[in-house]
Each structure stands twice: as C-alpha cells, then as structure tokens.
Amino acid sequence: MEDRLPIGRPTLTLATDSYSKMPFGFDISFQPGSYLTVMRCLRHGILPKPDCQTRYGTVHPFPVYGLPETVVVDRGMEFVGTSLENALGMLGIIHEVMPGRTPWYKGGIERFFRTQNQGLLEGLPGYTFSNAFSRADYDPAQDACISLDAFQQMLHIFLLDIYAQRWHEGIEDIPMRRWNEAHQSGLPPTFYHDAEEIRILLCASDTRTLTRQGIAWETLHYNSPALGQFRLRSGADRVRFRYDPED
C-alpha cells in the first residue's frame, strides 16, 4: 500500500572510475552510511549491469563492471574498518585510505557530487539545500513527493544519458567514450566469474574465539559438525568469519 507520505531522506553511496570518470557503482537506501552501504556499492560496481536499459529506461547501457585495481576512500568509519580491508584483500584489491585533513585528495568525487546536485537534485520537490540560509522557510519534508523507485530511475538516466555523455573538463573527454575506447584498445575490465562468491566475499567480517560450543556472536552460538572438524584440524583459537549485514 502506498500513502505517498515522506518516509525519510535516502543516502547515496557512490564510487567512480578515476580514469574515465564513469560511475562505477552506487547504493541508494535509507540505511545511513555504513559498511552495508559500502558493500552494496562495491557489489553493484563489480557485477555487470546488463538489464539497466530495460529496468530504468535509459538510452545508453551501463558498461562499467569488474574488479578495480585500487579503491581509494576517505577516513569515514565505514571505509576504514577491518571488514572493508579484509574483503578487498580477498579480492586482490588495494585499499588506499587518504591522509587526514586533505580534502584536495578527493576533489574528483566532490566535484562529481556537486555536478549531480546542480544537474539532477536542485529544483526537485524535497531538495534540502546545503545550508539553512538557502532553505529559509522551505520545508523539504512537506513537498517531498518522489518515490525511491522513481529516484532510482532518475539517477540512472542522469548518470548514463546526461553526465556520461557530456564533455568532462578534468579528462578532456566524454566519460562514456573514454571508457569504451579503453575497453576496445585492450584494457577490458577484470570480470569476476561467480556473483554469489562476490556476495559472500564482500560480506562484513569479524573474529571470535572458536570453542567446542562453536562461535558466539550477537548473543547466539553457531556450531556444526563441519565447524567442529575445522577446529580439530586447524587447532585455531581465533577465527575470522563473515556475516551478511542485510540479513
């Protein structure tokens, strides 16, 4: 049932390809910035997106996919935890954290968000503005009328049919053309063969003591014959395990 009442302000987690400036992957949800949103963003970026035109009605496809060589992040808590470092390490991806208090290191992504704000968000009902002076007496929650599905479609159309087709001053080229030319000139993306394995490897991770009772985590105990055999065979006291933060 839809009552068209405001239910919140979604968070956008997005990554771009530094060479072509094409969007790599993103996550839009009401989940605040966390490893869950980072995980979804990376999973969306790494896996192919062949149904984009059918699902969202874009004129152009979403050609970006594959394992990145390096993932560069700022020092937000969702980016510097052990889960991200461990997941990227399992995939052979370099995890590079920018130094503190160096905003010029992330000028590319900041400029991307500014372009998106100016080209897509400003003027939409429910836009919150960057400061209280610009907002004045305007109440974003009262005027908000865009569903999350509609925003997903608008964002895909903006990224693929507008942003990716325009001249980019930073690379002095058109992002979609630069990506396609690199692909055709012998630099294809590194395709990962197993989508389910990607989902597992990108799950959050933690370490616990492995005992005869198994692993105690979040007030629950996890045990199985296979886990018991692993304990006897490896003799490990501390083990790293993965869990799905979406479950």
Side-chain angles (χ1 to χ4, degrees):
M1 178 178 178
E2 293 186 6
D3 53 23
R4 308 301 293 177
L5 293 176
I7 58 175
R9 181 182 179 184
T11 298
L12 171 63
T13 302
L14 184 141
T16 61
D17 171 52
S18 62
Y19 176 74
S20 67
K21 301 304 180 184
M22 281 288 290
F24 170 68
F26 56 84
D27 172 67
I28 308 170
S29 66
F30 293 108
Q31 178 78 20
S34 63
Y35 182 71
L36 173 56
T37 61
V38 175
M39 179 188 77
R40 290 172 175 167
C41 175
L42 285 171
R43 187 171 62 203
H44 181 245
I46 292 172
L47 295 177
K49 299 166 269 292
D51 61 345
C52 187
Q53 290 169 286
T54 303
R55 290 186 63 185
Y56 302 107
T58 61
V59 175
H60 300 87
F62 201 150
V64 184
Y65 68 90
L67 296 175
E69 181 179 279
T70 303
V71 170
V72 182
V73 298
D74 64 19
R75 302 180 71 83
M77 290 300 296
E78 65 269 34
F79 298 122
V80 297
T82 56
S83 286
L84 180 59
E85 183 178 6
N86 182 260
L88 295 180
M90 292 288 289
L91 291 168
I93 300 170
I94 299 171
H95 179 219
E96 185 174 324
V97 181
M98 292 186 297
R101 300 184 180 182
T102 53
W104 55 90
Y105 278 28
K106 55 180 180 179
I109 193 69
E110 295 290 351
R111 175 59 188 267
F112 177 89
F113 278 117
R114 188 176 74 178
T115 300
Q116 176 190 265
N117 287 340
Q118 294 174 344
L120 174 63
L121 301 181
E122 285 186 5
L124 291 179
Y127 181 67
T128 57
F129 296 96
S130 58
N131 59 71
F133 295 103
S134 300
R135 187 163 56 245
D137 295 331
Y138 172 71
D139 183 3
Q142 182 178 351
D143 291 341
C145 64
I146 299 173
S147 67
L148 195 62
D149 289 340
F151 182 65
Q152 282 267 15
Q153 183 178 21
M154 292 169 58
L155 182 61
H156 278 85
I157 291 173
F158 173 77
L159 292 177
L160 301 178
D161 295 340
I162 300 175
Y163 169 79
Q165 311 304 323
R166 288 178 174 174
W167 182 261
H168 193 290
E169 293 292 342
I171 60 174
E172 297 185 343
D173 203 346
I174 297 172
M176 183 75 79
R177 182 171 67 189
R178 192 170 209 197
W179 172 273
N180 289 335
E181 287 181 349
H183 190 292
Q184 295 165 6
S185 64
L187 293 173
T190 302
F191 177 72
Y192 199 87
H193 63 282
D194 191 329
E196 177 62 16
E197 190 169 278
I198 278 288
R199 188 190 69 79
I200 295 172
L201 291 177
L202 288 177
C203 279
S205 63
D206 208 338
T207 57
R208 287 293 188 276
T209 300
L210 177 58
T211 68
R212 292 181 179 179
Q213 288 73 42
I215 295 172
W217 185 75
E218 296 289 337
T219 71
L220 297 173
H221 279 81
Y222 296 84
N223 206 354
S224 70
L227 194 59
Q229 293 174 11
F230 172 78
R231 183 178 65 85
L232 293 175
R233 185 172 64 251
S234 67
D237 293 328
R238 299 285 289 181
V239 294
R240 178 174 294 277
F241 64 94
R242 300 186 183 283
Y243 63 94
D244 186 355
E246 291 185 288
D247 186 344

